[in-house]
Amino acid sequence: MLILGIETSCDETAAAVFQDGCRILSNVVSSQIKLHTPYGGVVPEIASRAHMENIIPVIQKALEEAKVEGKDLDAIAVTTGPGLITSLMIGVDTAKTLAYAWEKPILGVNHIEGHIYSVKLKAQSSKLKSIKLPAMCLTVSGGHTMLVLIKEWGNYEVIGETIDDSCGEAFDKVAKLLGLGYPGGPIIEKLARGGGRQAFSFPRPILNQGNFNFSFSGLKTAVLYQARRIKKMDKKVVQDICASFQEAAFEVLVIKTLRAARKFKVSTIILAGGVAANQALQNFFKKSLSVNDYKLLITDFPTDNAAMIAGAAYPRVLKEDYDDWHSLQADPNLKL
Ligand code: KG4
Ligand code: ZN
């Protein structure tokens, strides 16, 4: 069974071909990082124009690498939300056009479900069978920071989410205010390695509010005020700020995830989304979990890609649970 996945929710134009629910035949991602770097963040207008230019070549490349043609496909899966409406529309309309032209069924996929499912992608391996449910998934990226209770695959409960900025967004904004470049996450991670985690004492927002929500906007502002107070911003100070900021953000993520895992009595914790690529976050989790006896699964596909979209659609394709070609639409606020 061959599923073509298409993903254009933010600033990556991506297409992938996924076979039999277990083999990624191709996973092409065209990044727009260079276009958005001068602005220190994603500019929606620029993103949608780039999607327009890239979407057909990216899909062509995905089909070529997989050595398949449109007529060989069993279904087309496309991200319908959440995300930037002008970016989502390019993917959705392209998918609808191809589904019509090739006479293939179409499925709309929630981007967050794609991130969650990404942990199963390598699952020709034993991981697929060994994920014990219910599980707690921390999905942490540029667009979202969420704790999701996975009751069954396809049956989720969002038990907490950010009330303002996402964690990845805070990384991007802190990098911008320090003049470090875009995207902020990988740059801050690298600089933090040379800095002191306790060098500055930044807040741990809403850590003790008794819920599972997050807030990163105040933390970002605390970094801004701290940076303004520093007279000589040399490399060591920047490293210290990065390390202390990262520590504050990750402490909240880890503690809240553990509390949620305990409350909902799960034994598996899943880490997904772009920020999950961060080694310091992965290590923080590993260190904290060793004493608590949870199984930790970290996705091999943290940043946006289309294999995770095709993967999330697979169980529905098996059931022929397709969407109606006419009514399928992009929804920037799509709920899980
Ligand atoms: O999942 P993703 O590709 O796109 C969204 O769905 O948002 O995540 C991108 C976000 C960006 O904010 C980026 O700064 C962050 O993930 N990110 C990281 C790292 N790599 C990417 N944050 C912290 N450490 C990293 N190594
Ligand atoms: Zn994403």
Side-chain angles (χ1 to χ4, degrees):
M1 177 196 290
L2 293 168
I3 304 174
L4 171 68
I6 297 174
E7 153 67 39
T8 63
S9 67
C10 189
D11 63 337
E12 324 278 6
T13 318
V17 178
F18 192 52
Q19 186 182 34
D20 297 336
C22 64
R23 283 185 65 208
I24 299 169
L25 299 186
S26 62
N27 196 10
V28 179
V29 179
S30 167
S31 166
Q32 302 177 5
I33 285 177
K34 276 199 192 130
L35 296 176
H36 300 290
T37 295
Y39 307 95
V42 176
V43 183
E45 169 78 15
I46 293 175
S48 59
R49 280 170 187 251
H51 284 311
M52 293 261 273
E53 282 169 25
N54 295 332
I55 186 82
I56 297 299
V58 163
I59 292 171
Q60 264 171 343
K61 193 162 178 228
L63 293 175
E64 272 165 32
E65 281 183 15
K67 298 190 173 59
V68 301
E69 293 179 23
K71 65 175 170 44
D72 304 325
L73 298 170
D74 290 282
I76 298 175
V78 61
T79 306
T80 46
L84 300 169
I85 180 68
T86 44
S87 288
L88 290 164
M89 278 165 57
I90 312 290
V92 172
D93 283 347
T94 305
K96 285 170 79 165
T97 306
L98 293 178
Y100 177 79
W102 292 337
E103 297 179 22
K104 302 292 175 190
I106 193 168
L107 300 95
V109 174
N110 185 304
H111 181 79
I112 314 274
E113 182 170 17
H115 274 302
I116 295 171
Y117 201 93
S118 71
V119 83
K120 289 177 78 174
L121 277 178
K122 255 204 157 169
Q124 57 276 55
S125 73
S126 52
K127 266 189 192 170
L128 181 70
K129 293 178 192 88
S130 69
I131 300 179
K132 221 174 139 201
L133 299 182
M136 188 59 65
C137 180
L138 175 68
T139 309
V140 61
S141 71
H144 10 261
T145 301
M146 249 182 207
L147 274 168
V148 179
L149 178 66
I150 308 171
K151 298 173 181 173
E152 298 287 338
W153 294 104
N155 181 2
Y156 311 103
E157 185 184 339
V158 178
I159 62 150
E161 59 190 315
T162 183
I163 55 170
D164 42 53
D165 291 352
S166 74
C167 185
E169 199 177 345
F171 270 79
D172 296 336
K173 287 179 175 170
V174 165
K176 187 176 180 183
L177 71 90
L178 294 172
L180 301 175
Y182 174 83
I187 304 170
I188 289 182
E189 173 176 17
K190 206 164 157 216
L191 286 164
R193 287 192 201 123
R197 286 180 290 165
Q198 316 295 341
F200 295 99
S201 125
F202 291 129
R204 273 60 174 161
I206 66 171
L207 181 58
N208 294 314
Q209 250 186 19
N211 57 36
F212 299 108
N213 288 334
F214 300 98
S215 163
F216 291 100
S217 165
L219 173 58
K220 167 207 68 194
T221 309
V223 175
L224 174 69
Y225 289 158
Q226 181 61 61
R228 279 188 188 157
R229 282 196 293 272
I230 294 167
K231 295 208 174 64
K232 191 169 167 285
M233 189 67 88
D234 58 21
K235 188 173 178 199
K236 179 70 180 114
V237 177
V238 173
Q239 288 175 325
D240 283 343
I241 293 179
C242 289
S244 302
F245 157 73
Q246 190 173 264
E247 181 77 3
F250 290 170
E251 192 176 309
V252 180
L253 292 178
V254 172
I255 291 179
K256 288 223 163 178
T257 305
L258 273 175
R259 278 187 201 150
R262 239 172 266 136
K263 169 151 187 206
F264 290 91
K265 298 187 174 51
V266 307
S267 54
T268 309
I269 291 177
I270 294 174
L271 193 50
V275 184
N278 188 298
Q279 295 291 322
L281 179 62
Q282 296 187 9
N283 291 336
F284 204 145
F285 265 104
K286 284 176 193 158
K287 206 176 63 192
S288 312
L289 294 183
S290 57
V291 281
N292 287 290
D293 215 25
Y294 289 102
K295 188 169 170 59
L296 177 68
L297 294 174
I298 301 170
T299 179
D300 294 313
F301 301 88
T303 48
D304 287 352
N305 65 86
M308 68 186 196
I309 302 305
Y314 172 70
R316 283 177 52 204
V317 177
L318 283 180
K319 290 188 272 177
E320 297 188 18
D321 174 19
Y322 305 127
D323 282 312
D324 176 36
W325 179 88
H326 293 92
S327 56
L328 190 74
Q329 269 187 348
D331 178 356
N333 302 312
L334 188 67
K335 297 281 174 249
L336 192 62

